Amino acid sequence: MSLVLDPAAQDLLFREARTANTFSDEPVTEEQVQAIYDLVKYGPTAFNSTPLRITLVRSPEARERLVNLMAEGNQAKTAAAPLVAILSADNEFHEELPALLPHFPQAKDIFFSERPAREQSAVMNAAMQAAYFIVGVRAAGLAAGPMGGLDYAGVQKEFLDDDHTPLMVVNIGKPGPDAWHPRGPRLAIDEVITTV
């Protein structure tokens, strides 16, 4: 085996992990969220920019507002999940670059003075961080249900602001009964990798 990660951890994070569609009513604690973030914050991003922002939807009122913005097929599972996170990209991430990139603080002005450049970088890097976040949820022994079926403009207006671009909503918790759809097929290596 070429991987150094323990096979049980490989299963937990990848092979046996699935997108959950039902959840138990066991709560997701602040300590679990802290542990997840403390792990995934080390994932690489360009310029160490870390533009991902996570909005935890815990109150019943906020949950109801969010459920109304989800696609019909995502509403019931979003209403029932113990915790829901809105993942977004902070388009003003460059303001933190002097602290996050102390050896090159001028990167803020050299590369990101224009809003279109910031938005493109923010979305790409926050999407990478969102993938780390999902793996971190799995590392905590929880299941994640990432979803794109939502009213993006509505979520931005209701929960964010013009400086944040919503990426996805993630339901989080212990899986419930019949949580999994059958595993979908994956592409073979020769369909994905090209050597030049």
Side-chain angles (χ1 to χ4, degrees), residues 54-94:
I54 303 166
T55 304
L56 299 179
V57 182
R58 287 201 183 269
S59 75
E61 299 79 18
R63 182 73 63 99
E64 184 177 348
R65 293 189 343 252
L66 179 60
V67 166
N68 290 331
L69 295 168
M70 301 302 294
E72 185 177 343
N74 292 333
Q75 289 180 345
K77 55 189 168 184
T78 301
L83 180 61
V84 180
I86 300 168
L87 304 188
S88 64
D90 181 356
N91 296 308
E92 298 299 314
F93 70 90
H94 69 304

Side-chain angles (χ1 to χ4, degrees), residues 1-7 10 14-15:
M1 179 62 85
S2 300
L3 300 174
V4 298
L5 190 64
D6 176 88
Q10 295 171 36
F14 297 100
R15 285 192 290 262

Side-chain angles (χ1 to χ4, degrees), residues 8-105:
Q10 295 171 36
D11 288 342
L12 176 71
L13 300 177
F14 297 100
R15 285 192 290 262
E16 299 298 324
R18 310 286 271 292
T19 296
N21 292 290
T22 68
F23 296 90
S24 76
D25 58 3
E26 183 178 331
V28 176
T29 67
E30 291 298 329
E31 292 78 14
Q32 287 171 304
V33 173
Q34 181 71 52
I36 292 165
Y37 182 73
D38 285 344
L39 177 65
V40 303
K41 69 183 178 184
Y42 295 110
T45 57
F47 296 94
N48 198 33
S49 57
T50 62
L52 180 70
R53 298 298 177 263
I54 303 166
T55 304
L56 299 179
V57 182
R58 287 201 183 269
S59 75
E61 299 79 18
R63 182 73 63 99
E64 184 177 348
R65 293 189 343 252
L66 179 60
V67 166
N68 290 331
L69 295 168
M70 301 302 294
E72 185 177 343
N74 292 333
Q75 289 180 345
K77 55 189 168 184
T78 301
L83 180 61
V84 180
I86 300 168
L87 304 188
S88 64
D90 181 356
N91 296 308
E92 298 299 314
F93 70 90
H94 69 304
E95 296 295 343
E96 292 154 352
L97 282 180
L100 294 171
L101 201 65
H103 66 281
F104 188 26

Side-chain angles (χ1 to χ4, degrees), residues 45 51-53 88-90 121-131 167:
T45 57
L52 180 70
R53 298 298 177 263
S88 64
D90 181 356
S121 183
V123 167
M124 184 198 68
N125 286 286
M128 281 195 307
Q129 289 186 278
L167 301 174

